[in-house]
Amino acid sequence: MSREIAIIVAHDRQRAIGHAGGLPWHLPDDLRHFKALTLGERVLMGRRTFESIGRPLPGRDNWVLSRDPAWSHPGVQVLHDWRAALDRHEQGTLWVIGGGEVYRLVLPQANRIEATEVDTTVALADAWFPEIDQQAWTVRRRERHLADERHAYAFDFVSRTRRG
């Protein structure tokens, strides 16, 4: 059986990923990219990320990490720690979609990172993607997107795989 732990994230130049419980930008092509990669797959997120979305993501098996043993929501599998998620994930791709605490937990076991690197700096950010050791990762693809009438910021789609 093949299994992959893949992180998908959009961050600014300083690795900011959020502000006030939401995304600090609206980039339609990034949302389309996210959907194309995760549709039909399993997604793992923290409870606060789930609550910022407000509902299970359609067409995906939604897993939510929560330390609160009483928390539940229809349409999601609640797990209380990363080890339980890792043990339960037997095959296929587990897409880790945030937030910052979950990214920090998962990064040591991740095989792949799909990042949207947004060409801006969010002044009032309150959530960040952890710094990665660039020597531990190989950039497999970088695709540049310029700002336009639908996208306030330029951004790059960057695919990384873990070395070794």
Side-chain angles (χ1 to χ4, degrees), residues 32-97:
R32 188 173 7 271
H33 180 68
F34 175 90
K35 184 176 182 179
L37 288 172
T38 64
L39 196 62
E41 301 285 349
R42 178 172 297 129
V43 293
L44 173 74
M45 66 198 95
R47 180 193 46 79
R48 286 184 296 222
T49 297
F50 176 79
E51 289 175 350
S52 75
I53 296 168
R55 61 181 171 78
L57 292 172
R60 299 161 189 93
D61 187 12
N62 289 256
W63 287 5
V64 175
L65 284 177
S66 175
R67 290 185 213 88
D68 181 352
W71 189 88
S72 67
H73 193 282
V76 303
Q77 172 69 52
V78 180
L79 300 163
H80 298 293
D81 60 50
W82 167 234
R83 173 55 49 198
L86 197 56
D87 290 347
R88 188 173 171 98
H89 177 59
E90 295 177 358
Q91 65 180 2
T93 302
L94 175 62
W95 285 99
V96 180
I97 68 171

Side-chain angles (χ1 to χ4, degrees), residues 18-29:
H19 169 68
L23 292 175
W25 42 70
H26 177 70
L27 302 170
D29 287 352

Side-chain angles (χ1 to χ4, degrees), residues 44-159:
L44 173 74
M45 66 198 95
R47 180 193 46 79
R48 286 184 296 222
T49 297
F50 176 79
E51 289 175 350
S52 75
I53 296 168
R55 61 181 171 78
L57 292 172
R60 299 161 189 93
D61 187 12
N62 289 256
W63 287 5
V64 175
L65 284 177
S66 175
R67 290 185 213 88
D68 181 352
W71 189 88
S72 67
H73 193 282
V76 303
Q77 172 69 52
V78 180
L79 300 163
H80 298 293
D81 60 50
W82 167 234
R83 173 55 49 198
L86 197 56
D87 290 347
R88 188 173 171 98
H89 177 59
E90 295 177 358
Q91 65 180 2
T93 302
L94 175 62
W95 285 99
V96 180
I97 68 171
E101 288 183 50
V102 176
Y103 288 138
R104 275 186 287 287
L105 280 172
V106 171
L107 188 58
Q109 284 90 31
N111 314 92
R112 174 175 161 197
I113 300 172
E114 294 292 337
T116 301
E117 298 179 353
V118 184
D119 193 13
T120 189
T121 301
V122 178
L124 299 175
D126 55 16
W128 289 267
F129 186 71
E131 189 167 352
I132 64 170
D133 175 2
Q134 297 295 334
Q135 300 303 314
W137 297 90
T138 299
V139 173
R140 298 289 183 196
R141 182 179 60 88
R142 179 178 291 273
E143 182 181 317
R144 183 79 172 147
H145 293 261
L146 300 176
D148 60 24
E149 63 281 348
R150 294 174 46 240
H151 301 86
Y153 309 106
F155 57 94
D156 291 355
F157 291 139
V158 183
S159 296

